[in-house]
Amino acid sequence: MTKRKTTRKKKTTNNSNILTYIAWFLAIIALMLSSLVAGYYFGFKDAKEQSAKTLKNEQNKRVKLLQKLEQTAKIEKKDVTKRLQEVLKKESKTYTSASHEIDDDTLVNPPKQTEKKQVHTNTKPKLAIIIDDVSTASQINAIKSLHLPLTMSFLPPSSARPHSAQLAAKEPYYMVHLPMEAQHFSKEEPYTLRVRDSQQEILQRVGEIKKLFPKVHYINNHTGSKFTADEIAMNRLFFAFGKLGIHFVDSRTTAQTKAPIVSKNFGLKYVARDVFLDHHMEKEYVKEQIKKAVKFAQEHGKAIAIGHPHQNTLEALKESKAVLKNVQLVRVKDIY
């Protein structure tokens, strides 16, 4: 009996030890799992916080970058305006006014019409604005900074502006402002056409211009109050232009211009300037002339205006963009 009791006691003790071991084992596993769960939770929390922090930093960087870009854009806009003014101040020193072009103040505006042609279409009237006397890179940059489809008319090269032809070559479209004999010259330009020039001389001179400006298809006269008033000289000019595929735009520097008659004789449409923008240099005057050009285009369906690359003219154009929205600004080639 005693032996059986002892054996039973040992078995009970062994079972108890096994249960203790199992309990300890389970406790260790539970502890390990708890550690893993806690580690995952806190690690995930840290990762989440770190991710949120990184995202916030990225957003702050983007905001700062946008603010910097906006600030840069504002500065660049101010710089462009400032550069435009500085450039034009230099260029405007060579101008007293555009009055050197014409002999009679009454020619500044369109000739009086016996009857106004009222135009009613679904499209905006067309206005072409020619900027004469272009000859330097600074003038070109100033004109292009306006972001308006203006037509630049280049003067032929001279000692004062030797690179005008090379500068024109970089532009997709341009005209040539060809000097012609005036009733009164303050200073004659190179390549000036004169009334006494023979047909051969005019052909040669126009041929030289075409070589210098190979893309030219439209030429308007610089001064020319004497030349354009001579029918024989104009016939010679139109003949030369016809040979080289060039069209004439009359700057209308004299009321005696024979361009309308000669155009008709050659079976061509007469194309001429309607409004001079800067016969006087004051900015407010130029703005009023821009309004006149817009009004004329509205009444007749189209108009051509001429200005020059000096400060007040280009600033007036910049400040008249709201007025110019009433017309479709086009190149001269698209006016007819």
Side-chain angles (χ1 to χ4, degrees):
M1 290 292 292
T2 304
K3 187 176 181 180
R4 191 178 291 171
K5 286 180 181 178
T6 302
T7 302
R8 191 179 294 163
K9 188 176 180 181
K10 283 182 179 179
K11 286 181 179 179
T12 303
T13 302
N14 289 336
N15 290 338
S16 178
N17 288 337
I18 290 169
L19 290 172
T20 301
Y21 292 145
I22 291 170
W24 274 106
F25 179 71
L26 292 172
I28 290 168
I29 290 174
L31 184 62
M32 290 173 67
L33 289 172
S34 297
S35 297
L36 287 171
V37 170
Y40 175 79
Y41 172 76
F42 288 112
F44 176 76
K45 187 177 179 182
D46 288 343
K48 188 177 179 182
E49 288 176 355
Q50 185 63 33
S51 178
K53 188 176 180 181
T54 303
L55 182 62
K56 189 174 181 180
N57 286 338
E58 289 296 325
Q59 287 175 340
N60 288 338
K61 284 180 182 177
R62 287 194 191 100
V63 170
K64 287 179 180 178
L65 180 61
L66 287 171
Q67 289 174 342
K68 189 176 180 180
L69 287 171
E70 287 176 0
Q71 188 65 27
T72 302
K74 288 178 182 177
I75 292 170
E76 285 179 351
K77 188 176 180 181
K78 288 179 181 177
D79 285 347
V80 167
T81 303
K82 189 176 179 181
R83 286 200 303 271
L84 172 63
Q85 291 174 344
E86 288 174 354
V87 165
L88 294 176
K89 277 179 183 176
K90 291 177 184 178
E91 298 299 337
S92 63
K93 287 178 182 178
T94 61
Y95 289 94
T96 52
S97 76
S99 59
H100 68 282
E101 292 277 4
I102 60 178
D103 284 350
D104 187 347
D105 286 0
T106 61
L107 293 171
V108 171
N109 297 315
K112 290 183 179 180
Q113 307 284 328
T114 54
E115 182 181 341
K116 283 187 178 181
K117 180 183 176 184
Q118 296 296 332
V119 177
H120 303 284
T121 64
N122 294 325
T123 58
K124 285 184 178 180
K126 294 179 180 180
L127 174 62
I129 299 177
I130 300 170
I131 303 298
D132 279 348
D133 293 355
V134 179
S135 56
T136 66
S138 56
Q139 289 173 338
I140 294 168
N141 292 334
I143 292 165
K144 291 171 78 169
S145 73
L146 297 177
H147 302 293
L148 295 171
L150 307 175
T151 300
M152 290 184 280
S153 192
F154 286 79
L155 282 166
S158 69
S159 57
R161 45 174 192 281
H163 307 299
S164 63
Q166 292 96 315
L167 291 169
K170 297 176 184 178
E171 301 304 316
Y173 177 73
Y174 58 80
M175 290 176 56
V176 169
H177 195 39
L178 184 59
M180 299 181 193
E181 189 175 359
Q183 293 292 349
H184 307 284
F185 271 126
S186 57
K187 182 181 178 183
E188 188 174 271
E189 294 282 346
Y191 296 93
T192 296
L193 297 178
R194 299 174 186 82
V195 170
R196 68 174 183 270
D197 289 341
S198 68
Q199 182 67 76
Q200 189 58 38
E201 286 173 324
I202 291 176
L203 273 168
Q204 183 181 342
R205 193 70 52 79
V206 173
E208 290 171 357
I209 292 296
K210 184 68 175 178
K211 284 181 181 178
L212 285 167
F213 300 92
K215 290 186 284 187
V216 68
H217 291 292
Y218 287 83
I219 284 178
N220 68 321
N221 53 297
H222 173 72
T223 62
S225 56
K226 184 174 181 178
F227 189 95
T228 58
D230 189 290
E231 190 170 346
I232 294 174
M234 289 297 287
N235 271 297
R236 290 170 179 166
L237 179 67
F238 270 63
F239 179 79
F241 281 172
K243 287 281 187 183
L244 296 169
I246 294 172
H247 303 280
F248 181 63
V249 179
D250 190 2
S251 297
R252 216 163 49 83
T253 58
T254 174
Q256 280 72 48
T257 176
K258 295 299 185 288
I261 297 170
V262 176
S263 296
K264 186 177 180 181
N265 291 341
F266 277 82
L268 301 171
K269 182 179 283 292
Y270 174 58
V271 182
R273 181 269 309 171
D274 297 299
V275 178
F276 238 135
L277 299 182
D278 47 12
H279 182 64
H280 299 290
M281 293 278 288
E282 296 81 5
K283 189 195 294 185
E284 291 307 313
Y285 172 85
V286 179
K287 285 184 176 180
E288 287 302 312
Q289 292 300 101
I290 292 170
K291 289 177 184 176
K292 285 182 182 180
V294 169
K295 185 179 178 183
F296 187 85
Q298 289 172 326
E299 291 174 348
H300 299 272
K302 54 186 173 290
I304 296 176
I306 287 180
H308 296 78
H310 54 65
Q311 183 177 355
N312 284 350
T313 299
L314 298 193
E315 286 187 358
L317 285 166
K318 179 183 177 183
E319 293 169 18
S320 299
K321 286 186 177 182
V323 175
L324 292 170
K325 285 182 180 179
N326 294 310
V327 293
Q328 180 186 357
L329 277 179
V330 297
R331 312 286 187 189
V332 166
K333 66 184 177 66
D334 299 317
I335 198 73
Y336 289 97

